Amino acid sequence: MAQHYLKPLFSPKSVVVFGASDRIDSVGQIVFQNMLQSGFQGGLYPINPGHPEVQGRKAYASISQIIEPVELAVIATPPETVPGIIDECGKHNVKAAVIITAGFGETGPVGKALERTVLDNAQRYGIRLIGPNCLGVMRPDIGLNATFNKGSANTGNLAFVSQSGALCTAILDWAQSNDVGFSSVISMGSSVDLDFGEILDYLVSDALTQSILLYIEGIRNARSFMSSIRAAARIKPVILVKVGRYPAGSKAAMSHTASLVGSDDAFDAAVRRAGVVRVQTITQLFSAAKALSCGFHPTGNRLAIVTNGGGPGVMATDCASDLGLVMASLSDITIETLNQVLPATWSHGNPVDVIGDAQADRYHHAVKACLEDPNVDGVLTILTPQAMTKPLEAASTVIELSNQYSKPLLTCWMGGAQVEESRTAFNHARKPSFRTPEPAVEVFSFLSAYYQNQKLLMQMPGPLSHHLEPDVEGARMIIEGALQESRNVLSEMESKALLSAFHIPVAQTLVAHSPNEALLIAQQLGYPVVMKINSPDITHKTDAGGVRLNLINAQAVRGAYHELVENIKRNRPNAHVDGISIEPMIVKPNGRELMVGVTNDPIFGPVITFGAGGTAVEIMGDRSVSLPPLNTFLVKDLIQGTRIAKMLGNFRQMPPVCMEALESVLLRVSEMVCELPMLMEMDINPLIVDENGALAADARVVVEFRPPSVDRYAHMAIYPYPTHLVSNWQLADGTNLVIRPIRPEDAELEQEFVHNLSEESRYFRFMNSVQELSELVLAHFTQIDYSREMALIAVTEGQEKEIELGVTRYAINPDGESCEFALVIADSMRGKGLGHKLMITLMDAARSKGLKTIEGEVLNNNVSMLKLMKRLDFTIEAHPEDDSIKIVRKLL
């Protein structure tokens, strides 16, 4: 496998320190001292033009005086010197640099220009940068401490990536006293080059890293962030702390939805979809990481508590309720088992109070019974030191049980000196242990969130969710018509026409421009009717006196027309009014008023929101948000995230609503967001849903011009499943094949395909004697991010399931313009043209993404592949480092 292009940064064989010094407490002095004291085994060269020696090492006036190759430069010199240093490094073939120096973009226009020069110089030579204005980088296992932190870090399996250098120093200090070790510590600083995206990509491939911890203040590139964090979370637990909020949008919110949804809501929705756990404090960050590294397999949110004290059990239960966890209902078998092994005075429910005189055997039986209960997803064991208690023995039996079961088992040994040995035992066994119940319950909530978010991560919805396709072109024409008239807000009739184009049921609406016309329309629609002011300038019609309900005759309609016009003249004199909209009064005695909306986050793009509707929508503040695209699973999750979800079932003699109709509306809104990049904000409020269906009573849409893009889903943070790449093809013998992008649920199909390949075919594909794919590789192959890679499989229908006959894939290189490909077909398909067809289809997909070059590596003895490459007009040349491999390349 080729060396990762960031290896010179994170595993350098040689390091040069610009600004290395003997001046006590200077940044250069501390950085070079750290490198010496951490035991870095590679070449280490101080650069200081004014001194022949620094800290006992020979110093150099410039990098040009160093004869040996240098892989990493660490720069701690004044900002005006940095562009020249980068230029010198480029000439010396240095491939990575950590710029600790501050004084760039954060200082104003002059610093920004200097920063641009630094980046231009780095890009000219292909140098990748961390910083500027950062603490630096640590890789404890190789003795790399290229930071100005006063102290080192223990070696461990946690990677910590932070946008705050100051926070890094505090965490490193905390970690030393809490026996926490790291595979990497990366302070990103200003991130003028490397950002979260590429750093996360490296950490996913890093064998030393088991879990990834992030401290985030803001996101620059949502697509890159989401692509990388989703890829990382599929392989390793990712836990993050996010502080602050994104800057507010430049224009005022024009809809209910935009005023309700803050940027932190969008961030939260994004990381949930990414399969990531978000915590609030640094302590929670490491506690969650420790729990996830214990080999637990979280499966839900039903918690059982075993305690020898009633008070702590109640405290834990209260905390669980606050966090939305479910106190598990113990099964009849579990209750019977506990009745046999516990005193008659035990609590006979959850929490399981084993009584104050409980010793190790009682803990063993109670905890074991709860772990074996199918109604329980995790157990919290609490011990308070009492006269008869033997804390260490109880701890030992709990540790033994924890090693036997995969369910989360958390411990809380309360007190001080009497339980200190037990805490030491838990720490030695690497089991999560807490001093009080609340943090333990919090960690279980994080494990539960991890399980739920991993299920969200596995969802790969396409842009369209129904067999009945929407009239996308008609919808675009409505939007373009408004924009051509320099209008960003659609009228109510245009907004409802847009919904109708996506098959969302709407209340019929007509617009009257005079009292007499209002009478005729009301007569045509039938009484009672609703009348509303029709103005693009008024979002909250009720507040402006612009709505009249339940008008039952001609006299009421005429009076309402005059009254509405007068109200707007008085309350909103500058608003442009285009008549009065009239629609039937919707009488649904069992209807629930809901709100469905769309807003655009400045970082993550379109966000879909759902919640309680009606005139009090802002006051209620009941909403749940999700990033599109959605499918049925994600829609159900979105609905369940609201308080009003409880009112959608049987409620106050009302029958349950038609959930299928509600879900259909949300899926259709997802389609609108995917296919209409110019849709910026939308409110459907109220959406009235009852047992018979759903109806959009009112709608308001805000649009904005977007230039056409090669990437049809460039406006979205999460790329939809690319259904437009699904095609049918027929072999010469009449066998029908489907060529389609791979999906996560194809894992078993892919494993079987590789298993059935001949040994030669597997060797040609993987360049080793792999027999089957590991779980990690299988996830990497099937759970892909379509925005930066593609895998197309050819399948045919078997007797009971699909059969995979071939697969080809590309991965976009860091330059964003080229990609590397791979191809393998079933041995039975050789000579039938399938390889040629798959490559043509893959190249078309790569071309549609704007890629310019496709390349790959082929073994010299893979004659059939080399013949195919010639037929496809690939150039073939020798590999510069391995004479057994050919490089094949083609301009797209």
Side-chain angles (χ1 to χ4, degrees):
M1 183 177 289
Q3 173 179 298
H4 196 284
Y5 65 93
L6 291 183
K7 191 172 182 182
L9 172 62
F10 294 115
S11 294
K13 295 176 182 175
S14 49
V15 178
V16 59
V17 179
F18 288 88
S21 172
D22 287 316
R23 184 162 54 87
I24 299 300
D25 286 342
S26 67
V27 172
Q29 183 263 330
I30 296 171
V31 171
F32 196 69
Q33 177 179 282
N34 282 342
M35 288 295 297
L36 289 171
Q37 291 181 350
S38 63
F40 180 67
Q41 296 301 308
L44 181 60
Y45 310 102
I47 302 288
N48 189 320
H51 295 82
E53 185 178 282
V54 171
Q55 298 187 38
R57 287 285 185 104
K58 176 186 175 181
Y60 300 82
S62 72
I63 193 172
S64 62
Q65 295 180 357
I66 302 173
I67 301 172
E68 294 81 3
V70 175
E71 292 193 339
L72 173 64
V74 182
I75 302 172
T77 60
E80 62 272 11
T81 66
V82 176
I85 288 173
I86 293 294
D87 192 64
E88 290 175 29
C89 288
K91 292 172 182 174
H92 202 75
N93 202 32
V94 175
K95 290 303 177 189
V98 176
I99 305 175
I100 292 175
T101 307
F104 291 92
E106 75 276 9
T107 63
V110 174
K112 194 71 179 174
L114 195 62
E115 184 176 281
R116 182 71 249 177
T117 305
V118 169
L119 186 58
D120 288 344
N121 288 355
Q123 290 175 342
R124 186 182 315 118
Y125 292 105
I127 300 174
R128 305 312 305 270
L129 305 177
I130 290 280
N133 191 15
C134 68
L135 181 71
V137 172
M138 286 186 183
R139 292 279 287 180
D141 71 300
I142 62 169
L144 177 68
N145 184 358
T147 72
F148 63 95
N149 179 63
K150 288 197 173 182
S152 59
N154 297 327
T155 301
N157 56 29
L158 299 178
F160 180 60
V161 186
S162 173
Q163 286 182 318
S164 167
L167 190 82
C168 272
T169 60
I171 285 175
L172 287 166
D173 185 55
W174 177 91
Q176 283 285 3
S177 58
N178 284 272
D179 193 30
V180 173
F182 298 92
S183 62
S184 304
V185 178
I186 303 161
S187 167
M188 292 168 49
S190 301
S191 302
V192 298
D193 178 27
L194 288 170
D195 204 348
F196 282 112
E198 292 178 86
I199 292 171
L200 284 168
D201 285 343
Y202 178 83
L203 294 174
V204 169
S205 66
D206 179 30
L208 298 172
T209 298
Q210 291 185 11
S211 300
I212 301 171
L213 314 182
L214 306 176
Y215 174 84
I216 299 175
E217 294 176 347
I219 302 299
R220 289 177 176 81
N221 186 323
R223 173 66 68 80
S224 170
F225 174 75
M226 288 301 292
S227 293
S228 58
I229 202 169
R230 282 163 64 86
R234 290 184 182 108
I235 309 299
K236 301 173 181 181
V238 179
I239 307 146
L240 63 84
V241 172
K242 160 70 171 64
V243 296
R245 293 179 179 270
Y246 304 122
S250 58
K251 67 178 190 300
M254 300 177 73
S255 69
H256 291 281
T257 304
S259 62
L260 280 172
V261 178
S263 57
D264 203 55
D265 295 311
F267 181 87
D268 214 49
V271 296
R272 289 187 71 235
R273 281 292 298 275
V276 170
V277 177
R278 182 182 182 184
V279 299
Q280 303 302 319
T281 69
I282 297 303
T283 302
Q284 291 172 351
L285 188 74
F286 287 99
S287 295
K290 187 174 182 180
L292 284 168
S293 69
C294 285
F296 294 146
H297 295 286
T299 56
N301 67 347
R302 299 170 300 176
L303 178 65
I305 298 170
V306 176
T307 177
N308 70 343
V314 174
M315 291 167 63
T317 301
D318 287 346
C319 183
S321 298
D322 290 340
L323 294 171
L325 298 172
V326 174
M327 291 299 292
S329 297
L330 302 180
S331 69
D332 292 341
I333 293 175
T334 300
I335 295 290
E336 181 57 34
T337 300
L338 294 174
N339 281 336
Q340 293 175 12
V341 296
L342 297 180
T345 53
W346 81 279
S347 57
H348 296 278
N350 184 19
V352 178
D353 188 345
V354 294
I355 312 304
D357 62 350
Q359 296 190 2
D361 62 331
R362 220 179 274 174
Y363 270 95
H364 173 84
H365 293 307
V367 172
K368 184 172 185 289
C370 289
L371 286 170
E372 292 180 348
D373 191 324
N375 296 341
V376 173
D377 296 318
V379 178
L380 167 60
T381 310
I382 302 173
L383 180 143
T384 57
Q386 300 182 32
M388 298 73 69
T389 309
K390 295 181 179 178
L392 185 57
E393 289 183 16
S396 298
T397 194
V398 169
I399 290 170
E400 184 180 335
L401 286 169
S402 182
N403 292 331
Q404 296 172 12
Y405 294 87
S406 62
K407 287 182 182 178
L409 176 53
L410 307 173
T411 65
C412 172
W413 262 225
M414 301 178 71
Q418 294 184 56
V419 296
E420 203 57 48
E421 278 187 291
S422 302
R423 291 206 186 103
T424 302
F426 286 130
N427 287 334
H428 182 72
R430 300 287 178 186
K431 303 301 179 185
S433 177
F434 304 88
R435 294 175 179 270
T436 56
E438 291 84 358
V441 177
E442 282 180 348
V443 166
F444 180 74
S445 76
F446 300 144
L447 293 171
S448 173
Y450 177 74
Y451 167 73
Q452 179 63 21
N453 294 354
Q454 284 286 305
K455 291 198 293 183
L456 300 181
L457 171 63
M458 290 294 288
Q459 308 305 309
M460 292 286 187
L464 302 179
S465 56
H466 294 66
H467 293 299
L468 185 59
E469 290 195 9
D471 180 10
V472 176
E473 193 55 39
R476 287 175 181 156
M477 289 175 67
I478 293 170
I479 293 173
E480 288 166 2
L483 292 173
Q484 285 170 4
E485 297 176 5
S486 300
R487 289 189 293 115
N488 292 100
V489 182
L490 303 189
S491 68
E492 183 174 344
M493 289 187 68
E494 289 171 326
S495 298
K496 288 184 174 178
L498 207 65
L499 298 183
S500 295
F502 282 80
H503 309 293
I504 296 174
V506 298
Q508 183 183 8
T509 302
L510 298 172
V511 177
H513 295 90
S514 69
N516 287 338
E517 193 175 355
L519 292 176
L520 291 173
I521 291 173
Q523 194 70 38
Q524 176 186 338
L525 294 175
Y527 294 104
V529 296
V530 175
M531 297 177 66
K532 294 179 283 190
I533 202 74
N534 190 39
S535 169
D537 301 323
I538 301 175
T539 298
H540 307 292
K541 298 183 182 74
T542 302
D543 295 346
V547 179
R548 289 295 177 268
L549 305 174
N550 203 27
L551 304 170
I552 59 174
N553 54 42
Q555 184 178 358
V557 167
R558 184 186 294 275
Y561 190 99
H562 290 294
E563 189 177 349
L564 290 171
V565 171
E566 290 302 315
N567 284 349
I568 298 307
K569 283 182 180 177
R570 181 174 61 256
N571 297 331
R572 297 290 299 276
N574 297 322
H576 172 73
V577 175
D578 184 22
I580 304 293
S581 66
I582 304 173
E583 60 190 54
M585 178 72 186
I586 300 167
V587 181
K588 288 182 176 286
N590 296 326
R592 280 71 146 185
E593 289 194 348
L594 307 174
M595 188 272 289
V596 175
V598 173
T599 186
N600 256 270
D601 181 78
I603 303 297
F604 290 101
V607 177
I608 296 173
T609 183
F610 168 79
T615 56
V617 60
E618 287 96 344
I619 297 171
M620 293 289 290
D622 177 31
R623 87 277 183 183
S624 178
V625 302
S626 186
L627 266 59
L630 302 180
N631 60 13
T632 303
F633 182 92
L634 295 168
V635 161
K636 291 179 186 295
D637 180 74
L638 178 64
I639 294 170
Q640 291 305 313
T642 61
R643 295 191 298 274
I644 202 168
K646 296 176 182 177
M647 297 171 57
L648 302 179
N650 286 304
F651 181 73
R652 292 185 178 174
Q653 281 76 55
M654 290 190 292
V657 304
C658 178
M659 290 300 293
E660 186 178 335
L662 173 57
E663 290 168 8
S664 177
V665 169
L666 287 163
L667 289 171
R668 289 299 191 182
V669 169
S670 175
E671 292 179 1
M672 294 178 73
V673 167
C674 292
E675 300 300 330
L676 303 175
M678 293 182 284
L679 175 60
M680 302 304 291
E681 295 177 15
M682 181 171 73
D683 286 331
I684 305 174
N685 182 31
L687 175 73
I688 302 176
V689 185
D690 65 6
E691 69 275 21
N692 299 313
L695 187 70
D698 200 354
R700 180 180 177 82
V701 173
V702 180
V703 296
E704 187 176 283
F705 173 75
R706 285 182 189 260
S709 171
V710 174
D711 183 352
R712 64 191 291 171
Y713 302 116
H715 61 295
M716 301 174 66
I718 299 176
Y719 203 89
Y721 179 80
T723 50
H724 62 285
L725 295 180
V726 179
S727 63
N728 297 301
W729 191 61
Q730 193 175 68
L731 294 174
D733 63 7
T735 303
N736 292 315
L737 304 182
V738 175
I739 297 174
R740 61 170 175 79
I742 204 164
R743 296 189 294 251
E745 55 265 34
D746 292 326
E748 185 180 341
L749 200 66
E750 179 80 351
Q751 184 72 279
E752 189 174 337
F753 171 72
V754 172
H755 180 76
N756 291 335
L757 290 172
S758 66
E759 189 172 335
E760 181 186 58
S761 293
R762 284 198 297 269
Y763 188 79
F764 283 160
R765 167 61 181 90
F766 300 105
M767 298 186 183
N768 59 44
S769 56
V770 63
Q771 294 299 311
E772 62 178 30
L773 304 178
S774 68
E775 188 175 330
L776 188 147
V777 172
L778 201 57
H780 177 71
F781 277 2
T782 57
Q783 300 174 34
I784 69 171
D785 187 318
Y786 305 108
S787 68
R788 61 179 183 172
E789 56 186 321
M790 183 56 62
L792 298 171
I793 60 173
V795 296
T796 187
E797 286 295 331
Q799 290 184 346
E800 297 180 356
K801 60 182 180 180
E802 287 182 323
I803 300 171
E804 183 177 335
L805 300 176
V807 58
T808 185
R809 60 181 71 237
Y810 71 68
I812 300 176
N813 290 322
D815 61 15
E817 296 185 344
S818 64
C819 63
E820 292 187 12
F821 81 92
L823 168 70
V824 61
I825 60 171
D827 293 87
S828 61
M829 288 292 106
R830 288 186 180 182
K832 297 186 178 182
L834 179 57
H836 188 278
K837 176 63 178 178
L838 282 172
M839 281 303 301
I840 292 292
T841 309
L842 185 75
M843 287 190 291
D844 286 342
R847 203 175 287 114
S848 71
K849 288 287 291 183
L851 298 174
K852 298 176 181 178
T853 309
I854 186 168
E855 58 192 8
E857 297 181 350
V858 181
L859 288 167
N860 288 345
N861 55 347
N862 192 349
V863 178
S864 59
M865 177 68 83
L866 291 172
K867 284 182 178 178
L868 175 60
M869 294 298 102
K870 285 181 181 178
R871 289 200 302 272
L872 291 168
D873 295 324
F874 276 69
T875 61
I876 301 174
E877 56 191 56
H879 194 288
E881 299 173 2
D882 190 338
D883 57 11
S884 70
I885 294 174
K886 298 290 188 188
I887 300 291
V888 297
R889 186 177 292 111
K890 180 181 174 69
L891 295 177
L892 294 170

